[in-house]
Amino acid sequence: MSRWTSGADRWRRRTARVGLVGAALAGLVAGLVVGGPPAGASAEASVAAGGRKTITGEIDGAEYRVELPARWNGTLVLYSHGYFLAEWVPEGVQVANRVETEQWLIEHGYAVAASKFKNDGVGYGVQDGVTDQVALLDWFEEHVGEPRRTVSSGMSQGGLIAGLLAERNPKRFDGVAAMCAEYDTHATWNSGLDITFVVKTLLAPGEDIELVRAGEDAAASRDALAAAIDRALETPEGRARLALAGAVANIPGWYAAHEPKPKTTDELVAAQSLWTKWAYSYGIGPVGRTELEARAGGNPSWNTGIDYGRLLARSSQRDLVRDAYAAAPGGDLGADLKRLAKAPRIRPDAKAVAYQYRHGIVRGTTLAPVVTLHSTGDGGAVTDQERWYADQIRRHGNSASLRQLWVDRGGHCSFSSADELVMLRTLLDRIDDGQWPSTAPTRLNASVSAMGPAYQKVLDLGTGADLPLEPAYTNFTPPRMLRPSR
């Protein structure tokens, strides 16, 4: 019997209410029909073979799904999803990063739940996410029962939501599990502006590209940025400028989850440019900004007062830039930095900046234990977010409550279900025992291997391929964030 399994058994023994809850679940479907859902909510329930119960419905315009095991152990994992593009919205409601994680948790007695958030979860739905998840937790406590412990889990933008939930509702959450998270999304959008500003200024001068407040021109501006990136890859000078665009935001040169980190300068720049194109020109470029600006009441991003030479000097990617310019016969880094310095700057709208400070940044005041998981090559949620978050907890919370775990892969959220479950089990051990178990990579990788082959697949978001990979927990020191909001 593993240490973690024995810990779970201890929890079951000392939770007297659990057996009663398990019996009460048998009447849940009838209870929902007789008692009815609360105002503004709907619910439908079904019972699968083995006693697993699925409840779906809507609360104030937000779909939700709850999965209940036949015998509930008293723990609820409340999951917050990431940023959805309007062109890609998953069907149904996700309750974990991977379906194998969902199945394992339910088979081992855990309840899992999630809201999809209003507007189908599309765009910068942080404010909606916090509100809708609390509404779902309220519903769960009223119709299922109050959990003995509740874990706030989330990935990418949902990792921010998971952290905000625990900070703002400290008595309702016993721990936080954040994967590939962005904790200062205001900094992310500012850095995204820096990237596209460099692309427009150096690679598409004179073109009609609106980086902010694009309105009806947003799609055309997005496509023009993408075309400029594609053209730049064809020449050494273009590749050097692409390296500079990525470097001003610490973007690494590792895009593919299923491939080793590139080695040559051209390969690194090509990989880095995929982040620039897909995450920052398409994802949170002009079209994504239009959606954010509608929520925030204006443009929250700026580059007034920004010296891109100084950003480069502090960047984790400065050596790549120097190598790329050295390989470009017509490249002149000094001249390009002067062009950036002279280019007209973009100012924010004060109302929108205030919106971001209210809804887009954690404070680091969470006292409940927090475990984070990040890929070392993530250029969508850059690893400097983790260093910044650790600094905030050190200043405003309890640094002993935090453990940060790393997987040595490229890609965004490139985790197997075994990676995810080992992270969750680490947090649950901390909640149960009051102290962290060993998080040495060798121990974590052994635990990942022990999960078996069914739990080893990793999705590459770029290709859509879902392939088994070897365990890859590692030690890692992330760079400092270049433009933190605090």
Side-chain angles (χ1 to χ4, degrees), residues 204-240:
E207 293 191 33
D208 186 14
I209 298 175
E210 299 294 337
L211 300 181
V212 302
R213 308 181 188 94
E216 295 180 355
D217 296 327
S221 295
R222 174 201 64 196
D223 294 345
L225 287 169
I229 293 167
D230 290 341
R231 289 194 306 269
L233 284 168
E234 297 176 1
T235 68
E237 293 76 19
R239 291 192 290 272

Side-chain angles (χ1 to χ4, degrees), residues 192-277:
L193 176 62
D194 291 333
I195 293 171
T196 54
F197 180 81
V198 173
V199 171
K200 175 184 176 181
T201 303
L202 299 183
L203 298 174
E207 293 191 33
D208 186 14
I209 298 175
E210 299 294 337
L211 300 181
V212 302
R213 308 181 188 94
E216 295 180 355
D217 296 327
S221 295
R222 174 201 64 196
D223 294 345
L225 287 169
I229 293 167
D230 290 341
R231 289 194 306 269
L233 284 168
E234 297 176 1
T235 68
E237 293 76 19
R239 291 192 290 272
R241 288 165 175 162
L242 283 174
L244 176 57
V248 298
N250 274 338
I251 306 302
W254 196 359
Y255 189 77
H258 298 155
E259 298 176 6
K261 184 177 181 179
K263 294 182 179 180
T264 70
T265 298
D266 283 350
E267 289 171 344
L268 288 164
V269 173
Q272 186 189 52
S273 71
L274 291 171
W275 290 117
T276 299
K277 179 177 179 178

Side-chain angles (χ1 to χ4, degrees), residues 327-353:
D332 187 333
L333 177 58
D336 284 345
L337 289 173
K338 287 180 180 179
R339 287 176 62 189
L340 291 172
K342 293 179 180 179
R345 293 303 199 252
I346 294 170
R347 296 182 178 276
D349 297 311
K351 178 181 178 181
V353 173

Side-chain angles (χ1 to χ4, degrees), residues 396-417:
H396 307 296
N398 175 14
S399 59
S401 69
L402 176 67
R403 286 293 182 275
Q404 295 184 300
L405 310 180
W406 300 95
V407 171
D408 195 25
R409 294 193 188 107
H412 181 48
C413 305
S414 51
F415 313 125
S416 67
S417 57

Side-chain angles (χ1 to χ4, degrees), residues 83 122-126 157 185 189 291-292 295 355-356 359-360:
Y83 187 99
V122 171
Y124 191 74
V126 176
Q157 182 175 272
T185 57
W189 288 88
E291 195 274 341
L292 170 60
R295 293 178 184 267
Y355 178 92
Q356 280 287 65
H359 303 297

Side-chain angles (χ1 to χ4, degrees), residues 73-366:
N73 65 15
T75 297
L76 169 66
V77 179
L78 184 66
Y79 175 78
S80 299
H81 69 73
Y83 187 99
F84 289 166
L85 295 172
E87 298 85 0
W88 183 84
V89 178
E91 294 184 5
V93 182
Q94 298 171 297
V95 294
N97 192 42
R98 291 193 60 95
V99 68
E100 299 95 339
T101 303
E102 169 190 334
Q103 294 168 347
W104 189 96
L105 288 170
I106 295 166
E107 289 170 1
H108 288 78
Y110 295 87
V112 291
S115 171
K116 197 171 188 176
F117 315 154
K118 297 178 184 66
N119 190 38
D120 244 0
V122 171
Y124 191 74
V126 176
Q127 182 180 9
D128 287 342
V130 172
T131 300
D132 295 338
Q133 292 287 61
V134 169
L136 177 56
L137 182 57
D138 290 341
W139 182 94
F140 188 97
E141 291 179 352
E142 179 179 353
H143 291 272
V144 178
E146 184 174 348
R148 287 292 184 178
R149 57 182 179 181
T150 302
V151 171
S152 182
S153 172
M155 59 88 75
S156 195
Q157 182 175 272
L160 166 65
I161 295 170
L164 290 173
L165 285 168
E167 286 188 354
R168 297 176 181 181
N169 305 273
K171 295 183 179 180
R172 303 188 72 177
F173 292 95
D174 301 282
V176 178
M179 296 168 282
C180 48
E182 294 178 294
Y183 313 97
D184 182 353
T185 57
H186 193 25
T188 298
W189 288 88
N190 268 333
S191 291
L193 176 62
D194 291 333
I195 293 171
T196 54
F197 180 81
V198 173
V199 171
K200 175 184 176 181
T201 303
L202 299 183
L203 298 174
E207 293 191 33
D208 186 14
I209 298 175
E210 299 294 337
L211 300 181
V212 302
R213 308 181 188 94
E216 295 180 355
D217 296 327
S221 295
R222 174 201 64 196
D223 294 345
L225 287 169
I229 293 167
D230 290 341
R231 289 194 306 269
L233 284 168
E234 297 176 1
T235 68
E237 293 76 19
R239 291 192 290 272
R241 288 165 175 162
L242 283 174
L244 176 57
V248 298
N250 274 338
I251 306 302
W254 196 359
Y255 189 77
H258 298 155
E259 298 176 6
K261 184 177 181 179
K263 294 182 179 180
T264 70
T265 298
D266 283 350
E267 289 171 344
L268 288 164
V269 173
Q272 186 189 52
S273 71
L274 291 171
W275 290 117
T276 299
K277 179 177 179 178
W278 297 112
Y280 298 99
S281 297
Y282 274 86
I284 63 170
V287 174
R289 285 186 178 279
T290 300
E291 195 274 341
L292 170 60
E293 289 165 2
R295 293 178 184 267
N299 165 45
S301 303
W302 72 90
N303 66 350
T304 51
I306 297 301
D307 183 329
Y308 287 102
R310 290 185 178 181
L311 285 189
L312 176 61
R314 295 187 287 113
S315 172
S316 63
Q317 304 301 311
R318 59 186 178 273
D319 290 343
L320 178 61
V321 173
R322 289 170 184 148
D323 291 344
Y325 272 89
D332 187 333
L333 177 58
D336 284 345
L337 289 173
K338 287 180 180 179
R339 287 176 62 189
L340 291 172
K342 293 179 180 179
R345 293 303 199 252
I346 294 170
R347 296 182 178 276
D349 297 311
K351 178 181 178 181
V353 173
Y355 178 92
Q356 280 287 65
Y357 272 96
R358 284 196 305 273
H359 303 297
I361 311 170
V362 297
R363 295 187 59 83
T365 57
T366 304

